Amino acid sequence: MSRIAIIGSGISGLSFAYFYLKKNPNTHIEFFENPPPQNSGHLTDLGPFQADLHHDMIFQKNPALELILRDPEISLQAQDAGKDAQTNYIVKDLIPAKIPRSKSSFRFNSILFLTESLKALSNYQKVYSLWDSMSFFEATKTLFMENFSEYFTSAFTRGFLFSEAENTEFAAVFPDIYQYINQNLKVEKAVESAIEKRKNEWITLAQAYSFSADGLSPRAFYYDNPIILKEGMPGLIKSLRDYLKIHGTKFTSAKISSLASKAKTWTLHTKNNKIGPFDMVFTDIDADYLSAIIKEADKELSGELKKMKYNSYSVIGSIYPARQIRLDGGHILIPRKEKSPLARVSLMSNLFPHYHNKESFFIKSYLLGEHDLFSDEELQDILKRELKRFTGLKADPSHFKVVRLRAPQYFPGYTAWRALIRAKISALENLIISGDDFESMLTDRLLESSMKKALENEKP
Ligand SMILES: Cc1cc2nc3c(=O)[nH]c(=O)nc-3n(C[C@H](O)[C@H](O)[C@H](O)COP(=O)(O)OP(=O)(O)OC[C@H]3O[C@@H](n4cnc5c(N)ncnc54)[C@H](O)[C@@H]3O)c2cc1C
């Protein structure tokens, strides 16, 4: 029976174990998770709501999620986030303007019409070439025009990737489109080819798990038709954990401090213990943490991993009396042209049935920047000032909660860096890395990647 160690029990590790066991039930899997056990949920009490201040939406249904939803041993229910989720606002000249939803009212500053924008541009019959490490801003400026890219890229990168546009690489955000553009395809053809490639990959994945991918169609721009789980993201984490436990997976609370490899097997070390050997190790921990634990096995790789960059930001959950604010819609995005530390406001009570309440309105706001010098109260004041500017909201929230986080920065040069890291990791053998530093920040992409990795790494 082969033995697999998984370091970190985020959605990547849990789903990898799930997909692996589905195909190879005779495998011993053991998780090592930072004590106290993390469930990636960040559940917190906010007055009338049990709120998840971490993630909440799945942006695209794919075969990986489909398999989980169809599993009779896992009872999760997915639903379209609905019309409201697709109604987003972009702040323009200090006023939130609705981003149009229909093609006929297509406006160039809409981030929800990327495919259409690219198609329109391809009418210029121009072949674009994007050099290797191009920032999101530069790429958009080349493809579009400066003024447009100010709005387009900054709303996108600030609102969804918590980064300034110049710091984010185009190729990292749209890897498939980039690949085809780089092969000198026209933009429209590159988008079509990227979608086609993904569709074929989905068919292969679904077939490998004996179901059909009919009805699942990939989108190039994956923020436009989100779905939510009735049980929320913590429900997905909990269901996978429960499933794995029932199927014999062990969860051990231990912080791994180093890894050693011998004859293609791996031994894990904690401060006082040596655990193993294992035939395979999977990890979804951040690149800088991996740098520390891989140092003894590969010093050069450890040095490269340290080059990963991060952006700090704070998520602020607040509850207002419903008579003060009740905006219909999904998000308010704030481009940096508005010179605000606020990147996005998510109108939670509108999107999620479990946050519906006649008396209260729940919003989640994202403030960019290192906030260690600010108290929670000071951050609340900054948020109140910004909300007042953009929505006129003057009231105090009845509940307020700050969580300080960081997000990977897909920096210019990231794609080449990632290729180098992947090559070095595969040279080590039987070590698999995943997670938002190496794959994507989106749960659906991470699930899909785990499904692929489970198939690619089956042991005879
Ligand atoms: C505020 C916020 C909102 C988000 N919203 C969404 C959303 O709406 N939709 C969406 O799709 N995505 C969203 N995301 C992104 C998504 O949540 C992440 O990309 C995803 O959870 C990453 O999962 P992971 O398994 O790769 O890593 P993680 O969840 O980071 O798991 C890694 C685990 O490894 C553990 N670990 C680290 N070092 C060690 C060690 N030495 N030994 C043992 N364990 C260790 C860590 O404690 C951690 O639990 C959001 C992210 C944030 C922060």
Side-chain angles (χ1 to χ4, degrees):
M1 189 190 262
S2 62
R3 296 188 67 194
I4 302 180
I6 301 189
I7 309 173
S9 54
I11 193 65
S12 304
L14 293 170
S15 57
F16 175 81
Y18 171 81
F19 293 120
Y20 200 90
L21 278 182
K22 281 269 156 201
K23 297 287 285 177
N24 313 275
N26 271 329
T27 312
H28 173 80
I29 298 185
E30 184 167 356
F31 276 85
F32 298 92
E33 47 190 354
N34 255 344
Q38 311 269 318
N39 67 8
S40 316
H42 288 242
L43 268 189
T44 186
D45 265 326
L46 263 178
F49 306 119
Q50 256 282 305
D52 179 12
L53 286 183
H54 212 118
H55 50 197
D56 25 62
M57 261 190 211
I58 295 183
F59 290 97
Q60 183 162 194
K61 214 177 188 192
N62 61 19
L65 183 66
E66 187 70 13
L67 183 72
I68 294 170
L69 292 173
R70 285 176 186 217
D71 192 333
E73 288 186 76
I74 288 185
S75 56
L76 283 176
Q77 284 178 52
Q79 60 187 69
D80 279 347
K83 198 163 84 335
D84 277 342
Q86 291 155 39
T87 310
N88 287 316
Y89 301 85
I90 191 162
V91 169
K92 210 163 181 270
D93 307 324
L94 303 186
I95 296 167
K98 257 190 194 173
I99 296 176
R101 290 177 51 221
S102 76
K103 275 188 191 176
S104 53
S105 57
F106 166 58
R107 236 186 1 211
F108 241 31
N109 66 8
S110 160
I111 64 158
L112 295 185
F113 286 88
L114 179 73
T115 331
E116 283 79 0
S117 324
L118 294 175
K119 279 185 179 164
L121 281 155
S122 73
N123 290 337
Y124 292 116
Q125 296 295 306
K126 205 169 151 189
V127 174
Y128 296 92
S129 126
L130 301 182
W131 54 90
D132 223 19
S133 1
M134 193 187 233
S135 76
F136 208 76
F137 189 74
E138 285 298 330
T140 319
K141 222 163 68 179
T142 311
L143 291 168
F144 307 87
M145 61 206 109
E146 176 134 14
N147 210 27
F148 167 72
S149 64
E150 275 274 358
Y151 262 98
F152 173 84
T153 57
S154 69
F156 182 85
T157 54
R158 301 182 100 222
F160 288 103
L161 298 169
F162 315 118
S163 173
E164 292 302 341
E166 290 91 336
N167 297 335
T168 306
E169 196 188 62
F170 179 87
V173 182
F174 297 109
D176 295 338
I177 297 176
Y178 167 78
Q179 186 200 324
Y180 286 109
I181 288 179
N182 227 18
Q183 289 169 12
N184 275 348
L185 286 191
K186 283 191 192 124
V187 180
E188 183 177 14
K189 194 83 196 132
V191 174
E192 278 169 16
S193 303
I195 292 175
E196 190 60 27
K197 177 183 164 213
R198 200 124 190 259
K199 178 83 194 164
N200 289 334
E201 281 175 1
W202 283 15
I203 291 170
T204 312
L205 286 178
Q207 274 171 356
Y209 285 87
S210 312
F211 66 96
S212 151
D214 285 357
L216 294 174
S217 48
R219 288 159 193 269
F221 192 51
Y222 28 83
Y223 292 99
D224 58 354
N225 208 7
I227 56 167
I228 56 173
L229 296 173
K230 215 168 155 207
E231 301 77 5
M233 289 288 209
L236 174 62
I237 301 272
K238 184 179 178 308
S239 305
L240 289 175
R241 284 181 83 96
D242 290 349
Y243 176 96
L244 292 170
K245 278 184 192 159
I246 289 168
H247 289 267
T249 297
K250 208 171 147 192
F251 286 83
T252 301
S253 175
K255 184 172 179 167
I256 302 303
S257 51
S258 71
L259 285 175
S261 148
K262 200 173 162 190
K264 298 188 182 176
T265 61
W266 289 92
T267 313
L268 277 50
H269 297 255
T270 62
K271 212 169 157 197
N272 304 315
N273 274 326
K274 188 172 151 189
I275 316 156
F278 291 96
D279 303 300
M280 193 153 73
V281 171
F282 178 102
T283 173
D284 58 6
I285 68 177
D286 291 354
D288 55 348
Y289 303 150
L290 186 59
S291 164
I293 69 171
I294 203 84
K295 202 167 174 183
E296 276 164 48
D298 190 331
K299 210 167 164 202
E300 215 181 295
L301 171 62
S302 167
E304 283 299 329
L305 283 164
K306 265 200 207 128
K307 294 182 185 164
M308 181 67 203
K309 296 176 169 52
Y310 300 92
N311 290 302
S312 299
Y313 64 98
S314 302
V315 184
I316 302 180
S318 33
I319 305 220
Y320 285 88
R323 58 185 185 284
Q324 305 279 0
I325 178 170
R326 196 166 266 292
L327 264 174
D328 291 334
H331 308 284
I332 306 173
L333 300 163
I334 294 110
R336 73 177 173 169
K337 266 211 150 172
E338 306 296 342
K339 298 196 176 26
S340 168
L342 189 56
R344 172 177 120 200
V345 181
S346 297
L347 306 162
M348 306 299 290
S349 285
N350 247 40
L351 299 189
F352 299 93
H354 51 290
Y355 296 135
H356 286 177
N357 180 309
K358 272 227 290 282
E359 308 297 323
S360 312
F361 196 86
F362 176 30
I363 62 174
K364 236 168 44 170
S365 312
Y366 299 76
L367 282 181
L368 295 181
E370 306 266 358
H371 294 139
D372 290 353
L373 290 176
F374 295 97
S375 67
D376 286 4
E377 288 66 32
E378 284 168 323
L379 291 181
Q380 177 175 5
D381 284 343
I382 296 173
L383 176 63
K384 272 164 53 184
R385 188 189 69 212
E386 296 304 297
L387 284 174
K388 190 175 165 205
R389 277 172 73 196
F390 302 130
T391 67
L393 181 67
K394 290 186 208 129
D396 283 332
S398 59
H399 294 83
F400 184 80
K401 172 93 188 168
V402 179
V403 180
R404 291 151 215 261
L405 293 164
R406 68 174 191 177
Q409 187 191 104
Y410 302 125
F411 56 95
Y414 170 84
T415 302
W417 172 85
R418 191 175 69 164
L420 179 75
I421 299 293
R422 283 182 172 175
K424 284 186 176 294
I425 291 280
S426 69
L428 286 173
E429 290 193 75
N430 297 327
L431 177 65
I432 308 166
I433 55 166
S434 189
D436 29 17
D437 285 6
F438 308 105
E439 296 292 335
S440 161
M441 268 173 72
L442 301 179
T443 299
D444 58 296
R445 287 271 169 159
L446 293 172
L447 291 173
E448 191 177 328
S449 152
S450 288
M451 196 182 202
K452 264 193 224 164
K453 287 179 203 291
L455 284 178
E456 285 163 6
N457 291 285
E458 278 186 90
K459 291 259 168 239

